[in-house]
């Protein structure tokens, strides 16, 4: 279990998690072949969902090579399996909505946990772009607001978004080929999670494109 620090929530983000039936989706073209979809307030009860995931999932830290040694990533990770005892019921409607709009296969969910402002992720493109042409990557932001930035691969003028609790962001087209994104550290930030869905390739039983983590069998 990973304890949550106290933070200020909104009434909109409290209560039983459920999809909004009024939130619209805005398409933003990054270039001729890359786009994002943004829906503000797409998920009601997002802060409550964050609380449930914080106490119900098996959180792990990852290590990656940097400057000739292995360093711990400044965030936590966990997987969310549809139908697992630890998985909140709203994951089902989220998955079905995303698949209906963006195509089947967006059923492999996982969560990145930014515990405070020091937790972050550097500029990168998701590895699923190495194995799939024009993959869709969808994320639902839970908890405190954080800046999500995109820029052309290698640098240049980009886009800065402040994602709030319950906002949906979908990256599509050639976004994972031509663009990269990050969540930079900031001095003060409330706990935040990024609930993410991607098309995951299966090559002879081996899942390619993301690291996998264990899921607890009890709440």
């Amino acid at each position: 279990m990973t304890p949550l620090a106290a933070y200020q929530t909104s009434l909109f983000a409290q209560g039983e998690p459920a999809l909004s039936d009024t939130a619209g989706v805005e398409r933003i073209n990054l270039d001729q072949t890359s786009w994002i979809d943004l829906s503000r307030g797409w998920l009601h009860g997002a802060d409550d969902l964050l609380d449930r995931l914080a106490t119900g999932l098996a959180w792990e830290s990852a290590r990656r090579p940097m400057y000739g040694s292995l360093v711990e990533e400044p965030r936590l990770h966990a997987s969310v399996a549809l139908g697992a005892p630890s998985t909140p019921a709203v994951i089902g409607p989220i998955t079905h909505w995303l698949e209906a709009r963006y195509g089947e296969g967006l059923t492999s969910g996982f969560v990145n946990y930014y515990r405070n402002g020091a937790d972050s992720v550097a500029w990168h493109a998701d590895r699923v772009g190495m194995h799939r042409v024009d993959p869709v990557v969808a994320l639902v932001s839970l908890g405190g607001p954080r800046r999500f930035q995109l820029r052309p691969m290698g640098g240049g003028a980009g886009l800065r978004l402040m994602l709030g609790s319950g906002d949906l962001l979908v990256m599509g087209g050639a976004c994972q080929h031509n663009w990269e994104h990050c969540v930079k550290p900031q001095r003060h930030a409330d706990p935040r999670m990024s609930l993410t869905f991607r098309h995951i390739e299966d090559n002879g039983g081996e899942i390619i494109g993301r690291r996998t983590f264990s899921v607890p069998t009890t709440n």
Side-chain angles (χ1 to χ4, degrees):
M1 178 188 300
T2 300
L4 281 173
Y7 68 102
Q8 184 67 39
T9 84
S10 68
L11 290 176
F12 164 81
Q14 299 174 21
E16 186 66 24
L19 302 186
S20 170
D21 56 6
T22 59
V25 179
E26 176 189 6
R27 171 67 55 92
I28 301 173
N29 292 312
L30 301 174
D31 56 35
Q32 290 185 339
T33 58
S34 310
W35 52 264
I36 63 170
D37 281 352
L38 180 63
S39 181
R40 299 291 189 184
W42 182 79
L43 178 71
H44 294 305
D47 285 356
D48 277 35
L49 180 57
L50 180 145
D51 290 339
R52 297 181 193 185
L53 295 176
T55 56
L57 295 182
W59 295 100
E60 299 188 20
S61 59
R63 305 181 77 189
R64 63 174 55 195
M66 184 178 293
Y67 307 119
S69 62
L70 289 176
V71 298
E72 204 167 89
E73 288 186 347
R75 59 178 180 169
L76 300 179
H77 312 257
S79 62
V80 180
L82 188 63
S86 60
T87 301
V90 73
I91 301 300
I94 290 175
T95 301
H96 298 151
W97 190 98
L98 292 171
E99 287 195 314
R101 187 177 181 95
Y102 300 104
E104 294 184 358
L106 285 168
T107 57
S108 297
F110 67 99
V111 191
N112 293 315
Y113 186 4
Y114 302 85
R115 295 157 291 184
N116 50 49
D119 279 359
S120 61
V121 63
W123 287 108
H124 71 286
D126 287 5
R127 287 176 294 170
V128 67
M130 299 171 60
H131 307 284
R132 188 182 182 98
V133 176
D134 294 354
V136 171
V137 177
L139 66 90
V140 185
S141 194
L142 314 174
R146 288 295 291 268
R147 294 183 184 88
F148 186 94
Q149 301 186 58
L150 300 109
R151 71 180 184 186
M153 196 71 69
L159 184 66
R160 295 174 56 178
L161 302 169
M162 182 66 78
L163 296 181
S165 196
D167 290 350
L168 170 70
L169 174 69
V170 181
M171 295 176 279
C175 195
Q176 301 308 321
H177 308 307
N178 298 338
W179 289 70
E180 52 189 355
H181 53 276
C182 76
V183 177
K184 292 185 176 182
Q186 59 188 62
R187 179 170 297 180
H188 301 293
D190 291 325
R192 172 190 180 259
M193 292 179 188
S194 175
L195 175 60
T196 307
F197 297 82
R198 297 172 179 161
H199 285 115
I200 302 301
E201 299 296 323
D202 190 323
N203 182 20
E206 179 184 359
I207 295 179
I208 299 175
R210 71 175 175 91
R211 184 180 289 107
T212 59
F213 299 89
S214 60
V215 180
T217 57
T218 58
N219 289 317

